[in-house]
């Protein structure tokens, strides 16, 4: 293998500087300024841990309300942004110029203004004085400059455009015109309330995101990142194209601890990309595999990117629900990527790396795997039901008992790991010829799984808030960092306990600093994106945009979705995923839901937000600006643009999934039971593998053109069987609006009527939309109508809403006085849509038969799978 350092085609790029310049700031000042920088970063992390803990309420000191916490959070982010990010490329990296100190301190004061003058501002709500306006103007200008430094010009430009739009509304052309906002009104809305900069996005950054980023930084500093990579390679590296499969799994696992596509690409890529090239992947394909898998780390529950926490607030559901809806598409996407890698290996007849595991019969391997799985399941049931029994018995002492039990398990795992050799950090340029053994590699780092278990337990079982869950997981992670080295030293018979304890303290300090520096960009991004959200709420531009989009898309929902996807990709070229999600979801999510209703498709809000989220992530891949592709190319020595196009090609599965779950919400596990969920998972996984085979042009052998088309058709049928069944038999029958009550009585309770209503929107403009009316329980039409809280009146062949009960289901659905019921569609008995899977599988069988015949005729060297 050619030494990566001597590759003449490799760009001269400092990978650490690339990650730092995009994630944590490229400036590394020396001397006192450097100490102040890292000290402030650590102080920020400690402040966030303090406000997330129950300690302030126990000691009755340092209690901050949500607005005050956001203010201090932004003050830290702004000051650190000017200290860590140089103004220009030629600006000094080893010192902080005087003007940056001034801008940082001024920005921090403006951001902390709400906290410092909270009582005074509370006494004059909506009536800012000159001092307030000056602070707000300066604060917004400094924030925009911090945004330009930390995130590049695009987000600063987008926010500036919305500020100008707010101020100069009367001078805007045609449909874009509005009555305008005064400077005082703008500053009050954007800087002195929680509607703009200090809005929901910054609140989520303060309450949830920081703690998850800090948790990931600590986990990485403790050695979990290297552990995940080693485990993946020990398990998969010896298979055909194994290093690429291991790269996918390793990136998925490190995605748990890194919310950055670029950092994930560089962290795992420095090890995985050279290994992929060793077994036959080109530089571009090796980089593309790493990019595709690293970017998808942001959609992998339970620790998703910052945007997932924003969904909790914007959609109004719990984080557990977000995880539930996001789980299936994420897992399917990763399984499909492993299969794509497998197909690439088949095309090129690649081999794996030499295994270092002892040779065992397949039956022994299967028994070992099943035994481990059964033991894991038994342990999970014992813990779940055991704690369920302990909690009523122990009462308030339960957390202490559980903590002791967790500590015992932790020490036991360290004792178990001490029987095996320690993991060593690999040199990515070394000539690695054998893989680590699986058993020793897995055993030596099992304790890294415990903090993730604590996090998942708190989120999924205890149902604690995401912030509190991350806090307890982080506390346990801190305990591990401080104690793992001394305990392991004790078990291994070394006498370096004091030195190991000191190293643990240094690791903890580095983790606190790294977590805060990784949060600078996110904190700035959420604050600046809040300007866009504030402008939308203050000017009503969202409704204007709905009209514009409806005209452009001619009322076609698919065109609206395509426009949204393109907008996400374009904005994502310059905006980080979080800011991109905030901007596009604020502008487009309500539009998609509204126009979907007008077109007869009821799209759940979570589906729309996940749609925007997925395409925001895709922007990190998409040429010509996909930064993750540039990072991968810097490692592989390949061409950045070719790497980006190849990564986009591999990521087609990720681009297809959002369109599929908009039209088939079963993929998001919406209104399905656990048995249906298992069936959907199996069928959707098969469908995505078939889709991958169709797009990659290879299944058992290379596809003929018509075979690729048939495979794509089969995949579509398995994903959306209802599309074909609706063509065969309409799922609804039209009922006269006057017979609304009779239709409600004639269908089973728990089903839904699709009702078209005409009325006026909030601005008095006429609007026609569809609602899904759940059928309540009841023995008669009158009883069901009463439970619905709706009374209708028929006059002159028109059916009108005569009364809507306050707080009723009908009011929640959007029924209002004097609306006209235009159409009632009642569900009809028909074959289940899943019957369409049968012809799909028959067509798939035909393709298998055709390719199997050709495969039999090919030389045996190409037949190995």
């Amino acid at each position: 293998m050619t030494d990566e350092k001597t590759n003449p085609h490799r760009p001269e790029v400092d990978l650490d500087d690339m990650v730092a310049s995009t994630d944590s700031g490229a400036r590394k000042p020396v001397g006192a300024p450097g100490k102040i920088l890292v000290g402030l970063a650590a102080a920020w992390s400690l402040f966030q841990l303090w406000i997330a803990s129950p300690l302030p309420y126990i000691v009755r000191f340092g209690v901050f309300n949500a607005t005050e916490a956001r203010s201090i959070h932004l003050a830290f982010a702004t000051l650190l942004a000017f200290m860590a990010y140089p103004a220009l490329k030629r600006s000094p990296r080893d010192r902080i110029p005087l003007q940056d100190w001034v801008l940082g301190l001024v920005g921090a004061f403006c951001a902390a203004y709400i906290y410092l003058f909270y009582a005074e501002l509370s006494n004059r709500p909506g009536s800012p004085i000159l001092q307030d306006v000056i602070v707000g103007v300066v604060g917004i200008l400094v924030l925009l400059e911090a945004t330009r430094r930390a995130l590049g010009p695009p987000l600063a430009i987008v926010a500036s455009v919305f500020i100008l739009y707010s101020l100069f509304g009367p001078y805007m052309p045609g449909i874009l015109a509005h009555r305008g906002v005064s400077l005082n009104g703008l500053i009050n809305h954007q800087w002195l309330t929680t509607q703009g900069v200090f809005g929901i996005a910054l609140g989520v950054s303060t309450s949830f995101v920081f703690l998850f980023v800090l948790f990931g930084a600590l986990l990485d500093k403790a050695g979990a990142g290297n552990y995940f990579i080693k485990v993946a390679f020990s398990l998969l590296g010896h298979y055909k194209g194994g290093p690429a499969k291991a790269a996918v799994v390793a990136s998925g696992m490190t995605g748990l601890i890194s919310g950055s596509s670029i950092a994930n690409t560089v962290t795992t890529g420095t090890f995985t990309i050279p290994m992929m090239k060793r077994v036959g992947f080109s530089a571009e394909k090796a980089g593309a595999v790493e990019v595709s898998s690293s970017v998808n780390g942001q959609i992998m529950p339970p620790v998703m990117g910052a945007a997932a926490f924003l969904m909790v607030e914007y959609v109004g559901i719990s984080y557990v629900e977000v995880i539930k809806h996001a789980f299936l598409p994420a897992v399917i996407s990763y399984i499909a990527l492993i299969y794509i890698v497998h197909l690439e290996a088949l095309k090129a007849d690649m081999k794996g790396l030499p295994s270092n595991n002892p040779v065992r019969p397949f039956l022994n391997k299967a028994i070992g795997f099943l035994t481990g799985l059964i033991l894991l399941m038994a342990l999970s049931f014992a813990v779940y039901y055991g704690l369920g029994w302990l909690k009523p018995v122990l009462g308030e002492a339960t957390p202490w008992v559980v903590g002791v039990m967790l500590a015992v398990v932790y020490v036991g795992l360290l004792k178990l790991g001490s029987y095996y050799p320690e993991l060593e950090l690999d040199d990515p340029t070394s000539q690695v010829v054998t893989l680590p053994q699986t058993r020793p590699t897995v055993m030596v780092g099992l304790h890294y799984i415990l903090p993730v278990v604590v996090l998942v337990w708190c989120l999924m079982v205890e149902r604690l808030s995401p912030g509190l869950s991350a806090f307890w997981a982080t506390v346990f992670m801190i305990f591990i960092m401080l104690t793992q080295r001394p305990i392991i030293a004790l078990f291994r018979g070394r006498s370096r306990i004091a030195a190991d304890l000191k190293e643990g303290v240094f690791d903890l300090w580095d983790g606190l600093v790294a977590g805060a520096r990784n949060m600078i960009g996110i904190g700035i991004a959420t604050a600046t994106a809040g300007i866009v959200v504030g402008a939308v709420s203050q000017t009503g531009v969202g409704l204007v945009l709905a009209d514009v989009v409806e005209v452009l898309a001619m009322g076609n929902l698919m065109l609206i979705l395509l426009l949204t996807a393109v907008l996400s990709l374009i904005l994502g070229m310059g905006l980080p995923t979080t800011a991109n999600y905030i901007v596009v979801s604020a502008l487009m999510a309500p539009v998609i839901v509204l126009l979907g209703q007008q077109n007869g498709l009821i799209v759940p809000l979570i589906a729309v937000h996940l749609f925007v989220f997925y395409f925001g992530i895709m922007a990190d891949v998409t040429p010509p600006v996909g930064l993750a592709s540039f990072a991968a190319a810097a490692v592989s020595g390949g061409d950045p643009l070719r790497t980006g196009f190849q990564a986009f090609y591999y990521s087609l599965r990720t681009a297809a999934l959002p369109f599929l779950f908009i039209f088939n919400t079963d993929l998001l596990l919406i209104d399905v039971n656990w048995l249906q969920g298992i069936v959907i998972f199996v069928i959707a996984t098969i469908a995505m593998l078939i889709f991958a085979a169709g797009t990659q042009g290879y299944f058992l052998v290379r596809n003929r053109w018509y075979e690729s088309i048939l495979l794509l058709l089969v995949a579509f049928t398995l994903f959306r069987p209802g599309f074909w069944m609706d063509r065969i038999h309409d799922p609804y029958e039209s009922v006269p609006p006057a017979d609304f009550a009779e239709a409600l009585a004639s269908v089973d309770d728990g089903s839904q009527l699709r009702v078209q209503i005409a009325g006026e929107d909030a601005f008095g403009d006429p609007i026609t939309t569809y609602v899904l009316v759940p059928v309540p329980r009841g023995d008669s039409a009158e009883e069901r109508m009463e439970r619905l809280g709706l009374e209708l009146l028929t006059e002159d062949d028109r059916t009108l809403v005569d009364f809507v009960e306050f707080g009723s289901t009908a009011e929640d659905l959007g029924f209002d006085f004097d609306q006209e019921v235009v159409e009632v569609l009642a569900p009809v008995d028909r074959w289940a849509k899943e019957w369409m899977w049968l012809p799909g599988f028959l067509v798939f069988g035909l393709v298998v038969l055709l390719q199997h015949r050709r495969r039999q005729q090919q030389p045996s060297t190409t037949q190995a799978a």
Side-chain angles (χ1 to χ4, degrees):
M1 173 182 165
T2 304
D3 192 331
E4 297 298 312
K5 291 182 177 179
T6 61
N7 188 341
H9 301 291
R10 178 173 176 170
E12 294 296 327
V13 176
D14 186 332
L15 295 174
D16 291 335
D17 185 66
M18 174 180 285
V19 175
S21 61
T22 56
D23 286 343
S24 59
R27 184 178 280 154
K28 296 178 181 178
V30 296
K35 293 178 181 178
I36 294 173
L37 174 57
V38 297
L40 281 171
W44 191 12
S45 292
L46 293 173
F47 167 75
Q48 295 290 155
L49 285 171
W50 174 262
I51 63 173
S53 75
L55 286 176
Y57 302 96
I58 294 174
V59 300
R60 297 184 180 180
F61 170 78
V63 178
F64 303 94
N65 63 38
T67 306
E68 291 174 325
R70 295 176 192 183
S71 177
I72 298 172
H73 179 84
L74 183 58
F76 270 114
T78 306
L79 178 55
L80 287 171
F82 284 99
M83 295 177 70
Y85 289 88
L88 303 168
K89 288 185 178 180
R90 62 177 181 272
S91 298
R93 299 290 196 271
D94 58 348
R95 62 183 179 84
I96 303 175
L98 177 61
Q99 63 269 24
D100 287 356
W101 283 109
V102 173
L103 285 171
L105 291 171
V106 169
F109 170 76
C110 294
Y113 186 75
I114 290 182
Y115 167 67
L116 296 172
F117 296 90
Y118 189 81
E120 292 87 342
L121 291 170
S122 299
N123 291 328
R124 51 173 187 268
S127 303
I129 61 176
L130 181 61
Q131 173 183 302
D132 301 338
V133 175
I134 292 173
V135 169
V137 170
V138 173
I140 288 176
L141 292 175
V142 173
L143 176 61
L144 293 175
E145 169 58 15
T147 305
R148 184 195 66 79
R149 293 188 182 205
L151 307 167
L155 181 56
I157 292 172
V158 170
S160 300
V161 167
F162 276 88
I163 290 173
L164 294 174
Y165 177 75
S166 298
L167 292 173
F168 299 102
Y171 308 103
M172 293 293 158
I175 193 174
L176 294 176
H178 63 92
R179 65 181 182 180
V181 176
S182 68
L183 181 61
N184 283 20
L186 176 76
I187 296 303
N188 180 71
H189 189 81
Q190 294 284 10
W191 200 261
L192 303 178
T193 69
T194 55
Q195 302 298 314
V197 170
F198 298 95
I200 289 175
L202 188 64
V204 170
S205 176
T206 306
S207 304
F208 304 153
V209 179
F210 191 105
L211 291 166
F212 278 85
V213 171
L214 177 60
F215 173 71
L218 294 174
L219 200 56
D220 185 48
K221 293 295 180 183
N226 180 59
Y227 172 69
F228 289 152
I229 294 172
K230 287 295 191 65
V231 168
F233 269 85
S234 68
L235 288 170
L236 300 171
H238 61 285
Y239 289 108
K240 188 180 286 287
K245 296 173 183 173
V248 175
V249 174
S251 295
M253 289 192 291
T254 52
L256 294 175
I257 61 177
S258 171
S260 166
S261 304
I262 299 165
N264 200 353
T265 299
V266 171
T267 302
T268 57
T270 50
F271 185 77
T272 60
I273 289 175
M275 301 280 266
M276 282 188 269
K277 292 172 68 176
R278 186 187 302 279
V279 297
F281 280 86
S282 68
E284 286 76 20
K285 287 188 176 181
V289 169
E290 181 57 47
V291 169
S292 302
S293 51
S294 294
V295 166
N296 270 28
Q298 292 188 65
I299 65 174
M300 194 67 184
V303 185
M304 300 167 67
F309 302 105
L310 289 161
M311 285 182 208
V312 172
E313 301 296 328
Y314 288 155
V315 182
I317 60 178
S318 69
Y319 188 61
V320 174
E321 287 293 307
V322 173
I323 291 174
K324 170 190 167 185
H325 297 317
F327 177 75
L328 204 60
V331 172
I332 292 171
S333 184
Y334 262 106
I335 292 173
L337 183 56
I338 293 175
Y339 184 60
I340 287 171
V341 167
H342 180 69
L343 294 177
E344 288 284 6
L346 286 178
K347 287 187 218 177
D349 194 27
M350 296 179 190
K351 307 298 181 186
L353 293 172
S355 174
N356 208 18
N357 288 322
V359 178
R360 292 193 299 162
F362 175 78
L363 182 60
N364 288 358
K365 291 182 180 180
I367 292 174
F369 174 77
L370 289 175
T371 302
L373 184 63
I374 291 171
L375 287 174
L376 181 62
M377 293 172 64
L379 180 63
S380 300
F381 277 104
V383 170
Y384 182 82
Y385 289 105
L387 286 179
W389 173 77
L390 280 175
K391 287 171 71 174
V393 174
L394 298 174
E396 294 183 359
T398 303
W400 298 102
V401 175
V402 172
V404 171
M405 293 169 59
L406 200 60
V408 170
V409 173
Y410 163 63
V411 174
L413 290 177
L414 288 181
K415 177 65 175 176
L416 182 64
S418 67
Y419 295 123
Y420 300 93
E422 292 183 271
L423 291 179
E424 296 181 1
L425 288 170
D426 285 282
D427 178 3
T429 61
S430 65
Q431 295 293 324
V432 182
V433 292
T434 57
L435 297 168
Q437 289 190 19
T438 300
R439 183 182 178 86
T441 304
V442 171
M443 291 298 180
V444 80
L446 282 175
H447 61 285
Y448 292 130
I449 307 298
L450 288 179
V452 180
V453 172
V454 170
L455 177 65
V456 175
W457 176 271
C458 292
L459 278 172
M460 308 291 287
V461 179
E462 296 295 331
R463 295 299 178 107
L464 301 181
S465 70
L468 196 55
S469 301
F471 168 76
W472 289 118
T474 302
V475 167
F476 187 50
M477 192 66 244
I478 291 172
F479 171 72
I480 288 177
M481 294 183 77
L482 292 174
T483 60
Q484 65 173 348
R485 292 177 187 272
I487 295 175
I488 291 173
L490 187 65
F491 286 146
R492 292 184 184 276
R494 298 197 300 253
S495 58
R496 298 180 57 247
I497 294 181
D500 285 330
L501 182 60
K502 187 176 180 180
E503 286 188 44
V505 172
F506 285 148
D507 286 342
L508 173 59
W509 178 263
D510 290 342
L512 292 173
V513 173
R517 292 195 66 158
N518 290 340
M519 268 302 300
I520 297 172
I522 297 176
I524 295 294
T526 51
T528 308
I531 293 176
V532 177
V533 177
V536 170
S537 64
Q538 192 173 25
T539 64
V541 68
L543 295 173
V544 173
L545 190 66
D547 292 337
V548 173
V549 170
E550 186 174 18
V551 170
L552 290 176
M554 297 172 289
N556 186 294
L557 184 61
M558 180 58 76
L559 283 178
I560 294 169
L561 293 173
L562 287 171
L563 285 172
T564 304
V566 171
L567 178 62
S568 295
L569 292 175
I570 292 173
L571 287 177
M573 291 180 183
L575 273 60
T577 303
T578 305
N580 187 6
Y581 164 74
I582 295 170
V583 173
V584 179
S585 63
L587 294 174
M588 300 300 296
V591 178
I592 294 174
V593 172
L594 178 63
L595 297 183
Q597 289 176 338
Q598 294 177 10
N599 283 273
L601 180 68
I602 311 300
V603 184
L605 191 57
I606 181 63
V608 179
H609 279 261
L610 282 171
F611 182 94
V612 173
F613 183 35
Y614 267 61
F615 278 100
I617 290 170
M618 282 291 294
D620 279 344
V621 180
T622 309
V625 188
L627 295 178
S629 301
F630 279 81
V635 178
S636 69
D639 179 79
L641 285 179
R642 289 176 61 189
T643 301
F645 281 111
Q646 187 68 50
F648 184 79
Y649 184 47
Y650 287 157
S651 299
L652 284 176
R653 74 203 190 287
T654 308
L657 276 170
F659 287 97
L660 293 167
F661 61 59
I662 284 286
F663 292 99
N664 182 8
T665 56
D666 289 352
L667 291 172
L668 301 180
L669 301 180
I670 294 176
D671 296 330
V672 298
N673 58 41
W674 66 270
L675 183 60
Q676 291 172 320
I678 292 173
V679 174
I680 290 165
F681 172 71
V682 172
I683 296 297
T685 301
I686 294 171
M688 187 51 75
L689 298 183
I690 294 172
F691 177 83
T695 55
Q696 296 301 310
Y698 197 99
F699 181 45
L700 300 179
V701 293
R702 292 190 184 277
N703 298 344
R704 303 270 169 80
W705 65 269
Y706 54 85
E707 290 173 338
S708 291
I709 294 175
L710 288 176
L711 287 173
L712 292 176
L713 186 63
V714 170
F716 177 78
T717 301
L718 297 182
F719 272 123
R720 281 201 64 197
F723 177 84
W724 301 113
M725 185 58 75
D726 289 349
R727 299 299 177 275
I728 297 172
H729 195 302
D730 198 310
Y732 293 96
E733 64 176 353
S734 182
V735 176
D739 296 336
F740 183 101
E742 288 72 14
L744 201 65
S746 64
V747 298
D748 296 333
D749 58 340
S751 59
Q752 295 174 319
L753 297 180
R754 187 180 293 265
V755 180
Q756 185 181 25
I757 55 177
E760 296 181 347
D761 61 17
F763 294 89
D765 297 324
I767 186 173
T768 302
T769 186
Y770 282 84
V771 294
L772 286 179
V773 179
V775 177
R777 295 189 306 272
D779 297 327
S780 64
E782 292 76 14
E783 186 178 351
R784 290 188 172 186
M785 288 291 286
E786 184 178 349
R787 286 180 180 272
L788 193 60
L790 183 67
E791 291 183 12
L792 301 178
L793 173 67
T794 302
E795 58 179 28
D796 299 331
D797 296 328
R798 298 175 66 212
T799 301
L800 304 175
V801 176
D802 190 45
F803 175 75
V804 179
E805 184 179 339
F806 178 75
S808 65
T809 303
E811 185 185 44
D812 294 339
L813 291 172
F815 283 99
D816 203 354
F817 299 103
D818 292 333
Q819 287 178 338
E820 180 183 359
V821 178
V822 179
E823 185 180 27
V824 178
L825 297 172
V828 297
D829 290 331
R830 65 168 187 173
W831 287 0
K833 62 182 179 181
E834 287 76 16
W835 283 107
M836 296 308 302
W837 288 342
L838 290 180
F841 279 120
L842 288 175
V843 175
F844 178 61
L846 174 63
V847 176
V848 171
L849 183 63
L850 292 172
Q851 295 210 356
H852 181 70
R853 288 180 178 176
R854 292 209 308 279
R855 186 182 183 187
Q856 295 292 95
Q857 299 168 2
Q858 292 183 358
S860 59
T861 56
T862 63
Q863 291 181 14

